[in-house]
Amino acid sequence: MSEVSNSIKKLRQEKKLSQEELAEKLYVTRQAVSNWETGKTQPDIDTITKLANIFDVSVERIIYGKAKSRFHFAVNVDPQKGAQDGIGLGAILAVVISYVKWQSIGWAILHGILGWIYVIYYLIKY
């Protein structure tokens, strides 16, 4: 049996539907559902989409037996750390840009300090 066959049968049983009840929801015969579950035939893509809606799963779950995802990542957002990183990066950029423009470390440090003052003022005000 194919993954599609296994998925349809498993999901139908999880929803506690008979083949007849599922067939009525899809406007097909009970034999069509039976043929899908035994692997004799396969439903077309429109029917797979309808099955996904009935079972409240993704199309991938029906086709592959599980939801396949191309991207696996987690985002852990810490606003405090993000602000600290942004402030540090901003100060470093201010120093580097100032040094490149005026070729003087004194001006670079002055602009870095002014950048920090602006950041502190912004944080206090807002």
CSV table of all heavy atoms in Angstrom, one decimal, residues 38-93:
chain,number,residue,atom,x,y,z
A,38,THR,N,-7.0,0.6,-0.1
A,38,THR,CA,-6.3,-0.6,-0.4
A,38,THR,C,-5.2,-0.4,-1.4
A,38,THR,O,-4.4,-1.3,-1.7
A,38,THR,CB,-7.3,-1.7,-0.9
A,38,THR,OG1,-7.9,-1.2,-2.1
A,38,THR,CG2,-8.3,-2.1,0.1
A,39,GLY,N,-5.2,0.8,-2.0
A,39,GLY,CA,-4.1,1.1,-2.9
A,39,GLY,C,-4.4,0.7,-4.3
A,39,GLY,O,-3.5,0.8,-5.2
A,40,LYS,N,-5.6,0.3,-4.6
A,40,LYS,CA,-6.0,-0.1,-6.0
A,40,LYS,C,-6.0,1.1,-6.9
A,40,LYS,O,-5.6,1.0,-8.1
A,40,LYS,CB,-7.3,-0.8,-6.0
A,40,LYS,CG,-7.3,-2.2,-5.4
A,40,LYS,CD,-8.7,-2.8,-5.4
A,40,LYS,CE,-8.6,-4.2,-4.7
A,40,LYS,NZ,-10.0,-4.7,-4.6
A,41,THR,N,-6.5,2.2,-6.4
A,41,THR,CA,-6.5,3.5,-7.1
A,41,THR,C,-6.1,4.6,-6.2
A,41,THR,O,-5.9,4.4,-4.9
A,41,THR,CB,-7.9,3.8,-7.6
A,41,THR,OG1,-8.8,4.0,-6.6
A,41,THR,CG2,-8.4,2.8,-8.6
A,42,GLN,N,-5.8,5.8,-6.7
A,42,GLN,CA,-5.5,6.9,-5.9
A,42,GLN,C,-6.4,8.1,-6.2
A,42,GLN,O,-6.8,8.3,-7.4
A,42,GLN,CB,-4.0,7.3,-6.2
A,42,GLN,CG,-3.0,6.2,-5.8
A,42,GLN,CD,-1.9,6.8,-5.0
A,42,GLN,OE1,-1.7,8.0,-5.0
A,42,GLN,NE2,-1.1,5.9,-4.5
A,43,PRO,N,-6.7,8.9,-5.2
A,43,PRO,CA,-7.6,10.0,-5.5
A,43,PRO,C,-6.8,11.1,-6.3
A,43,PRO,O,-5.6,11.2,-6.2
A,43,PRO,CB,-7.9,10.5,-4.1
A,43,PRO,CG,-6.8,10.1,-3.2
A,43,PRO,CD,-6.4,8.8,-3.8
A,44,ASP,N,-7.5,11.9,-7.1
A,44,ASP,CA,-6.9,13.0,-7.8
A,44,ASP,C,-6.5,14.1,-6.8
A,44,ASP,O,-6.9,14.1,-5.6
A,44,ASP,CB,-7.7,13.5,-8.9
A,44,ASP,CG,-9.1,14.1,-8.5
A,44,ASP,OD1,-9.3,14.4,-7.3
A,44,ASP,OD2,-10.0,14.2,-9.4
A,45,ILE,N,-5.8,15.1,-7.3
A,45,ILE,CA,-5.3,16.2,-6.4
A,45,ILE,C,-6.5,17.0,-5.8
A,45,ILE,O,-6.4,17.4,-4.6
A,45,ILE,CB,-4.3,17.1,-7.1
A,45,ILE,CG1,-3.6,18.0,-6.1
A,45,ILE,CG2,-5.0,17.9,-8.2
A,45,ILE,CD1,-2.7,17.3,-5.1
A,46,ASP,N,-7.6,17.2,-6.5
A,46,ASP,CA,-8.7,17.9,-6.0
A,46,ASP,C,-9.3,17.1,-4.8
A,46,ASP,O,-9.7,17.7,-3.8
A,46,ASP,CB,-9.8,18.1,-7.0
A,46,ASP,CG,-9.3,19.2,-8.1
A,46,ASP,OD1,-8.5,20.0,-7.7
A,46,ASP,OD2,-9.8,19.1,-9.2
A,47,THR,N,-9.4,15.8,-5.0
A,47,THR,CA,-10.0,15.0,-3.9
A,47,THR,C,-9.0,15.0,-2.7
A,47,THR,O,-9.5,15.0,-1.5
A,47,THR,CB,-10.2,13.6,-4.4
A,47,THR,OG1,-11.1,13.7,-5.6
A,47,THR,CG2,-10.9,12.7,-3.3
A,48,ILE,N,-7.7,15.0,-2.9
A,48,ILE,CA,-6.8,15.0,-1.8
A,48,ILE,C,-6.9,16.3,-1.1
A,48,ILE,O,-6.9,16.3,0.2
A,48,ILE,CB,-5.3,14.8,-2.3
A,48,ILE,CG1,-5.1,13.4,-2.8
A,48,ILE,CG2,-4.3,15.1,-1.3
A,48,ILE,CD1,-3.8,13.1,-3.4
A,49,THR,N,-7.1,17.4,-1.8
A,49,THR,CA,-7.3,18.7,-1.1
A,49,THR,C,-8.6,18.7,-0.3
A,49,THR,O,-8.6,19.2,0.9
A,49,THR,CB,-7.4,19.8,-2.2
A,49,THR,OG1,-6.2,19.8,-3.0
A,49,THR,CG2,-7.6,21.2,-1.5
A,50,LYS,N,-9.7,18.1,-0.8
A,50,LYS,CA,-10.9,17.9,0.0
A,50,LYS,C,-10.7,17.1,1.2
A,50,LYS,O,-11.2,17.4,2.3
A,50,LYS,CB,-12.0,17.4,-0.9
A,50,LYS,CG,-12.5,18.3,-2.0
A,50,LYS,CD,-13.5,17.6,-2.9
A,50,LYS,CE,-13.9,18.5,-4.1
A,50,LYS,NZ,-14.8,17.8,-5.0
A,51,LEU,N,-9.9,16.0,1.0
A,51,LEU,CA,-9.6,15.1,2.2
A,51,LEU,C,-8.9,15.9,3.2
A,51,LEU,O,-9.2,15.7,4.4
A,51,LEU,CB,-8.8,13.9,1.7
A,51,LEU,CG,-9.6,12.8,1.0
A,51,LEU,CD1,-8.6,11.9,0.2
A,51,LEU,CD2,-10.5,12.0,1.9
A,52,ALA,N,-7.9,16.7,2.8
A,52,ALA,CA,-7.1,17.5,3.8
A,52,ALA,C,-8.1,18.4,4.6
A,52,ALA,O,-7.9,18.6,5.8
A,52,ALA,CB,-6.1,18.2,3.1
A,53,ASN,N,-9.0,19.0,3.9
A,53,ASN,CA,-10.0,19.9,4.6
A,53,ASN,C,-10.9,19.1,5.5
A,53,ASN,O,-11.1,19.6,6.6
A,53,ASN,CB,-10.8,20.6,3.6
A,53,ASN,CG,-10.0,21.7,2.8
A,53,ASN,OD1,-9.1,22.2,3.3
A,53,ASN,ND2,-10.4,22.0,1.6
A,54,ILE,N,-11.3,17.9,5.1
A,54,ILE,CA,-12.2,17.1,6.0
A,54,ILE,C,-11.4,16.7,7.2
A,54,ILE,O,-11.9,16.7,8.3
A,54,ILE,CB,-12.8,15.9,5.2
A,54,ILE,CG1,-13.8,16.4,4.2
A,54,ILE,CG2,-13.4,14.9,6.2
A,54,ILE,CD1,-14.2,15.3,3.2
A,55,PHE,N,-10.2,16.2,7.0
A,55,PHE,CA,-9.4,15.7,8.1
A,55,PHE,C,-8.7,16.8,8.9
A,55,PHE,O,-8.0,16.6,9.9
A,55,PHE,CB,-8.4,14.7,7.6
A,55,PHE,CG,-9.0,13.4,7.0
A,55,PHE,CD1,-8.5,12.9,5.9
A,55,PHE,CD2,-10.1,12.8,7.6
A,55,PHE,CE1,-9.1,11.7,5.3
A,55,PHE,CE2,-10.7,11.7,7.1
A,55,PHE,CZ,-10.1,11.1,6.0
A,56,ASP,N,-8.7,18.0,8.4
A,56,ASP,CA,-8.1,19.2,9.0
A,56,ASP,C,-6.6,19.0,9.1
A,56,ASP,O,-6.0,19.1,10.2
A,56,ASP,CB,-8.7,19.5,10.3
A,56,ASP,CG,-8.3,20.9,10.8
A,56,ASP,OD1,-8.0,21.8,10.0
A,56,ASP,OD2,-8.2,21.1,12.1
A,57,VAL,N,-6.0,18.5,8.0
A,57,VAL,CA,-4.5,18.3,8.0
A,57,VAL,C,-4.0,18.9,6.7
A,57,VAL,O,-4.8,19.4,5.8
A,57,VAL,CB,-4.1,16.8,8.0
A,57,VAL,CG1,-4.6,16.2,9.3
A,57,VAL,CG2,-4.7,16.1,6.8
A,58,SER,N,-2.7,18.9,6.5
A,58,SER,CA,-2.1,19.5,5.3
A,58,SER,C,-2.2,18.4,4.2
A,58,SER,O,-2.2,17.2,4.5
A,58,SER,CB,-0.7,19.9,5.5
A,58,SER,OG,0.1,18.8,5.8
A,59,VAL,N,-2.1,18.9,2.9
A,59,VAL,CA,-2.0,17.9,1.8
A,59,VAL,C,-0.8,17.0,1.9
A,59,VAL,O,-0.8,15.9,1.6
A,59,VAL,CB,-2.0,18.7,0.5
A,59,VAL,CG1,-1.8,17.8,-0.7
A,59,VAL,CG2,-3.3,19.5,0.3
A,60,GLU,N,0.3,17.6,2.4
A,60,GLU,CA,1.6,16.9,2.6
A,60,GLU,C,1.4,15.7,3.5
A,60,GLU,O,1.9,14.6,3.3
A,60,GLU,CB,2.7,17.7,3.1
A,60,GLU,CG,3.2,18.7,2.1
A,60,GLU,CD,2.6,20.1,2.2
A,60,GLU,OE1,1.7,20.3,3.1
A,60,GLU,OE2,2.9,20.9,1.3
A,61,ARG,N,0.6,15.9,4.5
A,61,ARG,CA,0.3,14.8,5.5
A,61,ARG,C,-0.4,13.7,4.8
A,61,ARG,O,-0.1,12.5,5.1
A,61,ARG,CB,-0.6,15.4,6.7
A,61,ARG,CG,-1.1,14.3,7.6
A,61,ARG,CD,-0.2,14.1,8.8
A,61,ARG,NE,-0.7,13.0,9.6
A,61,ARG,CZ,-1.5,13.1,10.6
A,61,ARG,NH1,-2.0,14.2,11.0
A,61,ARG,NH2,-1.9,12.0,11.3
A,62,ILE,N,-1.3,13.9,3.9
A,62,ILE,CA,-2.0,12.8,3.2
A,62,ILE,C,-1.0,12.2,2.2
A,62,ILE,O,-1.0,10.9,2.1
A,62,ILE,CB,-3.2,13.4,2.5
A,62,ILE,CG1,-4.3,13.8,3.6
A,62,ILE,CG2,-3.8,12.3,1.6
A,62,ILE,CD1,-5.5,14.5,3.0
A,63,ILE,N,-0.3,12.9,1.5
A,63,ILE,CA,0.6,12.4,0.5
A,63,ILE,C,1.8,11.6,1.1
A,63,ILE,O,2.1,10.5,0.6
A,63,ILE,CB,1.1,13.5,-0.5
A,63,ILE,CG1,-0.1,14.0,-1.3
A,63,ILE,CG2,2.1,12.9,-1.5
A,63,ILE,CD1,0.2,15.2,-2.1
A,64,TYR,N,2.5,12.2,2.1
A,64,TYR,CA,3.7,11.7,2.6
A,64,TYR,C,3.5,10.9,3.9
A,64,TYR,O,4.4,10.3,4.4
A,64,TYR,CB,4.7,12.8,2.8
A,64,TYR,CG,5.1,13.5,1.6
A,64,TYR,CD1,4.8,14.8,1.4
A,64,TYR,CD2,5.8,12.8,0.6
A,64,TYR,CE1,5.1,15.5,0.3
A,64,TYR,CE2,6.1,13.5,-0.6
A,64,TYR,CZ,5.8,14.9,-0.7
A,64,TYR,OH,6.1,15.5,-1.9
A,65,GLY,N,2.3,11.0,4.5
A,65,GLY,CA,2.1,10.3,5.8
A,65,GLY,C,2.5,11.2,7.0
A,65,GLY,O,2.2,10.8,8.1
A,66,LYS,N,3.1,12.3,6.7
A,66,LYS,CA,3.5,13.2,7.8
A,66,LYS,C,3.7,14.6,7.1
A,66,LYS,O,4.0,14.6,5.9
A,66,LYS,CB,4.7,12.8,8.5
A,66,LYS,CG,5.9,12.6,7.7
A,66,LYS,CD,7.1,12.1,8.5
A,66,LYS,CE,8.3,11.9,7.6
A,66,LYS,NZ,9.4,11.4,8.4
A,67,ALA,N,3.6,15.6,7.9
A,67,ALA,CA,3.8,17.0,7.3
A,67,ALA,C,5.3,17.2,7.0
A,67,ALA,O,6.1,17.0,8.0
A,67,ALA,CB,3.3,18.0,8.2
A,68,LYS,N,5.6,17.4,5.8
A,68,LYS,CA,7.0,17.7,5.5
A,68,LYS,C,7.2,19.2,5.4
A,68,LYS,O,6.4,19.9,4.9
A,68,LYS,CB,7.4,17.0,4.1
A,68,LYS,CG,7.5,15.5,4.2
A,68,LYS,CD,8.3,15.0,3.1
A,68,LYS,CE,8.5,13.5,3.3
A,68,LYS,NZ,9.5,13.0,2.5
A,69,SER,N,8.3,19.6,6.0
A,69,SER,CA,8.6,21.0,6.0
A,69,SER,C,10.0,21.2,5.4
A,69,SER,O,10.9,20.5,5.8
A,69,SER,CB,8.5,21.6,7.4
A,69,SER,OG,8.9,23.0,7.4
A,70,ARG,N,10.2,22.2,4.6
A,70,ARG,CA,11.5,22.5,4.0
A,70,ARG,C,12.4,23.3,5.0
A,70,ARG,O,13.6,23.3,5.0
A,70,ARG,CB,11.4,23.3,2.8
A,70,ARG,CG,10.7,22.5,1.7
A,70,ARG,CD,10.7,23.3,0.4
A,70,ARG,NE,10.0,22.5,-0.6
A,70,ARG,CZ,9.1,23.0,-1.5
A,70,ARG,NH1,8.8,24.3,-1.4
A,70,ARG,NH2,8.5,22.2,-2.3
A,71,PHE,N,11.7,24.0,5.9
A,71,PHE,CA,12.4,24.8,6.8
A,71,PHE,C,12.2,24.4,8.3
A,71,PHE,O,11.0,24.3,8.7
A,71,PHE,CB,12.0,26.3,6.6
A,71,PHE,CG,12.1,26.8,5.2
A,71,PHE,CD1,11.0,26.9,4.4
A,71,PHE,CD2,13.3,27.1,4.7
A,71,PHE,CE1,11.1,27.3,3.1
A,71,PHE,CE2,13.5,27.5,3.4
A,71,PHE,CZ,12.3,27.6,2.6
A,72,HIS,N,13.2,24.2,9.0
A,72,HIS,CA,13.1,23.9,10.4
A,72,HIS,C,14.0,24.9,11.1
A,72,HIS,O,15.2,24.9,11.1
A,72,HIS,CB,13.7,22.5,10.7
A,72,HIS,CG,12.9,21.4,10.0
A,72,HIS,ND1,11.6,21.0,10.5
A,72,HIS,CD2,13.1,20.7,8.9
A,72,HIS,CE1,11.1,20.1,9.7
A,72,HIS,NE2,12.0,19.9,8.8
A,73,PHE,N,13.3,25.9,11.8
A,73,PHE,CA,14.1,26.8,12.6
A,73,PHE,C,13.2,27.3,13.7
A,73,PHE,O,12.0,27.3,13.6
A,73,PHE,CB,14.6,28.0,11.7
A,73,PHE,CG,13.5,28.8,11.1
A,73,PHE,CD1,12.9,29.9,11.7
A,73,PHE,CD2,13.0,28.4,9.8
A,73,PHE,CE1,11.9,30.6,11.1
A,73,PHE,CE2,12.0,29.1,9.2
A,73,PHE,CZ,11.5,30.2,9.8
A,74,ALA,N,13.8,27.8,14.7
A,74,ALA,CA,13.1,28.4,15.8
A,74,ALA,C,13.6,29.8,16.1
A,74,ALA,O,14.8,30.0,15.9
A,74,ALA,CB,13.3,27.5,17.1
A,75,VAL,N,12.7,30.6,16.4
A,75,VAL,CA,13.0,32.0,16.7
A,75,VAL,C,12.8,32.3,18.1
A,75,VAL,O,11.7,32.1,18.6
A,75,VAL,CB,12.2,33.0,15.8
A,75,VAL,CG1,12.5,34.4,16.1
A,75,VAL,CG2,12.4,32.7,14.3
A,76,ASN,N,13.8,32.7,18.8
A,76,ASN,CA,13.7,33.0,20.2
A,76,ASN,C,14.0,34.5,20.3
A,76,ASN,O,15.1,35.0,20.2
A,76,ASN,CB,14.7,32.2,21.1
A,76,ASN,CG,14.5,32.5,22.5
A,76,ASN,OD1,13.6,33.1,22.9
A,76,ASN,ND2,15.4,31.9,23.3
A,77,VAL,N,12.9,35.3,20.5
A,77,VAL,CA,13.1,36.7,20.5
A,77,VAL,C,13.2,37.3,21.9
A,77,VAL,O,12.3,37.0,22.7
A,77,VAL,CB,11.8,37.4,19.8
A,77,VAL,CG1,11.9,38.9,19.8
A,77,VAL,CG2,11.7,36.9,18.3
A,78,ASP,N,14.3,37.9,22.1
A,78,ASP,CA,14.5,38.6,23.4
A,78,ASP,C,14.6,40.1,23.1
A,78,ASP,O,15.7,40.5,22.7
A,78,ASP,CB,15.7,38.0,24.1
A,78,ASP,CG,15.9,38.6,25.5
A,78,ASP,OD1,15.1,39.5,25.9
A,78,ASP,OD2,17.0,38.3,26.1
A,79,PRO,N,13.6,40.9,23.3
A,79,PRO,CA,13.7,42.3,22.9
A,79,PRO,C,14.8,43.0,23.6
A,79,PRO,O,15.5,43.9,23.1
A,79,PRO,CB,12.3,42.9,23.4
A,79,PRO,CG,11.4,41.7,23.5
A,79,PRO,CD,12.3,40.6,23.8
A,80,GLN,N,15.1,42.7,24.9
A,80,GLN,CA,16.2,43.4,25.6
A,80,GLN,C,17.5,43.1,25.0
A,80,GLN,O,18.3,44.0,24.8
A,80,GLN,CB,16.1,42.9,27.1
A,80,GLN,CG,17.1,43.6,28.0
A,80,GLN,CD,16.7,45.1,28.2
A,80,GLN,OE1,15.6,45.4,28.2
A,80,GLN,NE2,17.7,45.9,28.4
A,81,LYS,N,17.8,41.8,24.6
A,81,LYS,CA,19.0,41.5,24.0
A,81,LYS,C,19.1,42.1,22.6
A,81,LYS,O,20.2,42.6,22.2
A,81,LYS,CB,19.2,40.0,23.9
A,81,LYS,CG,20.5,39.6,23.3
A,81,LYS,CD,20.9,38.2,23.6
A,81,LYS,CE,22.1,37.6,23.0
A,81,LYS,NZ,23.1,38.5,22.5
A,82,GLY,N,18.0,42.1,21.9
A,82,GLY,CA,18.0,42.8,20.6
A,82,GLY,C,18.4,44.2,20.7
A,82,GLY,O,19.1,44.8,19.8
A,83,ALA,N,17.8,44.9,21.6
A,83,ALA,CA,18.1,46.3,21.8
A,83,ALA,C,19.6,46.6,22.2
A,83,ALA,O,20.2,47.4,21.6
A,83,ALA,CB,17.2,46.9,22.9
A,84,GLN,N,20.1,45.7,23.1
A,84,GLN,CA,21.5,45.8,23.5
A,84,GLN,C,22.4,45.6,22.3
A,84,GLN,O,23.4,46.3,22.1
A,84,GLN,CB,21.8,44.9,24.6
A,84,GLN,CG,21.2,45.2,25.9
A,84,GLN,CD,21.3,44.1,26.9
A,84,GLN,OE1,21.7,43.0,26.6
A,84,GLN,NE2,20.9,44.4,28.1
A,85,ASP,N,22.1,44.6,21.5
A,85,ASP,CA,22.9,44.3,20.3
A,85,ASP,C,22.9,45.5,19.3
A,85,ASP,O,23.9,45.9,18.7
A,85,ASP,CB,22.5,43.0,19.6
A,85,ASP,CG,22.8,41.8,20.4
A,85,ASP,OD1,23.6,41.9,21.4
A,85,ASP,OD2,22.2,40.7,20.1
A,86,GLY,N,21.7,46.0,19.1
A,86,GLY,CA,21.5,47.1,18.2
A,86,GLY,C,22.2,48.4,18.6
A,86,GLY,O,22.9,49.1,17.8
A,87,ILE,N,22.2,48.6,19.9
A,87,ILE,CA,22.9,49.8,20.5
A,87,ILE,C,24.4,49.6,20.3
A,87,ILE,O,25.1,50.5,19.8
A,87,ILE,CB,22.6,50.0,22.0
A,87,ILE,CG1,21.1,50.5,22.1
A,87,ILE,CG2,23.5,51.0,22.6
A,87,ILE,CD1,20.6,50.4,23.5
A,88,GLY,N,24.9,48.4,20.6
A,88,GLY,CA,26.4,48.2,20.4
A,88,GLY,C,26.8,48.3,19.0
A,88,GLY,O,27.8,48.9,18.7
A,89,LEU,N,26.0,47.7,18.1
A,89,LEU,CA,26.3,47.8,16.7
A,89,LEU,C,26.3,49.2,16.2
A,89,LEU,O,27.2,49.6,15.4
A,89,LEU,CB,25.4,46.9,15.9
A,89,LEU,CG,25.6,46.9,14.4
A,89,LEU,CD1,27.0,46.3,14.0
A,89,LEU,CD2,24.5,46.1,13.7
A,90,GLY,N,25.3,50.0,16.6
A,90,GLY,CA,25.2,51.4,16.2
A,90,GLY,C,26.4,52.2,16.6
A,90,GLY,O,26.9,53.0,15.9
A,91,ALA,N,26.8,52.0,17.9
A,91,ALA,CA,28.0,52.7,18.4
A,91,ALA,C,29.2,52.4,17.6
A,91,ALA,O,30.0,53.3,17.2
A,91,ALA,CB,28.1,52.4,19.9
A,92,ILE,N,29.4,51.1,17.3
A,92,ILE,CA,30.6,50.7,16.6
A,92,ILE,C,30.6,51.3,15.2
A,92,ILE,O,31.6,51.8,14.7
A,92,ILE,CB,30.7,49.1,16.5
A,92,ILE,CG1,31.0,48.6,17.9
A,92,ILE,CG2,31.7,48.7,15.5
A,92,ILE,CD1,30.9,47.1,18.1
A,93,LEU,N,29.4,51.2,14.5
A,93,LEU,CA,29.3,51.8,13.2
A,93,LEU,C,29.6,53.3,13.2
A,93,LEU,O,30.2,53.8,12.3
A,93,LEU,CB,27.9,51.5,12.6
A,93,LEU,CG,27.7,50.1,12.1
A,93,LEU,CD1,26.2,50.0,11.7
A,93,LEU,CD2,28.6,49.9,10.9
